[in-house]
Amino acid sequence: MKLFALLSTLVASAAAFTPAPKATTTTALNVEIKNQIGAQAPIGFFDPLGFIQNGPYGSPEENFRHYRSVEVKHGRIAMAATLGMLVQQTTRFQGFLSPSSNLKFEDVPNGLGALKAVPLEGWVQMIVVIGLHEVFIKEREGRAPGDFGTGYFGVAMDDQSAKQLRSLSAEISNGRLAMLGILGMFASEIVHRGEVLAETKIFG
């Protein structure tokens, strides 16, 4: 009897610290998220692991906003990286990257080889600039994820018109392709043992 009473007490104590079940989200909210730009045919809304519903950033709306902000940021970085890889294959800046090391821009290899060629001081400067950007440049409150108030090449598009939504949708799609593209370029370089964009040889 004493053992049963002890077990009952332990179970009751544990139950007191059990988190309350999460309230289920409304159908309207789920529909709103599923209709956001980026949910494109033929796949549509794609979240097989349930990050939007069960993510650690709060409500499904808050989870969606966080993940969409990250997606847009990474997409923009990947687009710049992909374009940079293609440009550097044929063109280089003139001048010195590091005068103290007698290192010119043209001496830095394209692709992953640049990781070893750029001096430590150069990487420190880039990391500081990126860190300052993250700290001081923020998204505008109440605006779409990725909106820093700079417009599109200086052209403001705040009217939520069909043109703006089409442009935002194209940016997300191109960013997704660029993320796959830059990873493919890095994988190709590793497979071909340091040779950058080896596949381009088929074009002459």
Side-chain angles (χ1 to χ4, degrees):
M1 181 64 68
K2 290 183 180 180
L3 178 60
F4 178 77
L6 178 60
L7 290 175
S8 300
T9 303
L10 290 175
V11 170
S13 301
F17 293 96
T18 303
K22 293 183 179 179
T24 57
T25 56
T26 63
T27 304
L29 177 61
N30 291 333
V31 170
E32 180 183 347
I33 291 176
K34 291 180 180 179
N35 288 335
Q36 291 285 336
I37 58 172
Q40 300 172 340
I43 297 176
F45 181 78
F46 185 73
D47 183 25
L49 299 180
F51 287 121
I52 302 300
Q53 195 76 16
N54 306 311
Y57 302 101
S59 67
E61 280 185 326
E62 292 168 327
N63 288 324
F64 176 81
R65 180 174 182 84
H66 173 81
Y67 290 126
R68 174 50 57 85
S69 296
V70 172
E71 179 185 28
V72 171
K73 180 186 293 184
H74 289 176
R76 290 169 177 172
I77 294 171
M79 285 188 282
T82 301
L83 184 61
M85 286 277 285
L86 296 174
V87 171
Q88 286 186 121
Q89 193 69 0
T90 57
T91 307
R92 298 298 175 91
F93 286 116
Q94 300 297 317
F96 285 90
L97 172 65
S98 176
S100 60
S101 302
N102 197 33
L103 180 66
K104 296 181 179 180
F105 285 104
E106 60 189 22
D107 297 329
V108 179
N110 193 12
L112 296 173
L115 296 174
K116 296 180 180 180
V118 176
L120 176 61
E121 296 81 0
W123 287 114
V124 170
Q125 292 177 48
M126 286 186 276
I127 291 171
V128 168
V129 170
I130 294 171
L132 291 174
H133 184 281
E134 290 289 326
V135 171
F136 292 107
I137 301 180
K138 301 294 186 180
E139 293 180 345
R140 292 197 294 176
E141 291 291 336
R143 300 289 185 172
D147 187 342
F148 292 90
T150 56
Y152 299 89
F153 298 100
V155 178
M157 295 177 65
D158 293 329
D159 54 359
Q160 291 293 302
S161 64
K163 179 180 179 182
Q164 180 186 15
L165 296 178
R166 189 166 56 250
S167 299
L168 292 173
S169 180
E171 179 186 31
I172 291 174
S173 297
N174 292 341
R176 291 168 178 171
L177 288 173
M179 285 187 277
L180 293 174
I182 192 64
L183 288 175
M185 291 179 184
F186 290 156
S188 171
E189 183 178 349
I190 294 172
V191 168
H192 292 91
R193 299 182 180 181
E195 185 177 358
V196 180
L197 299 177
E199 293 79 7
T200 59
K201 289 181 179 179
I202 63 176
F203 299 107

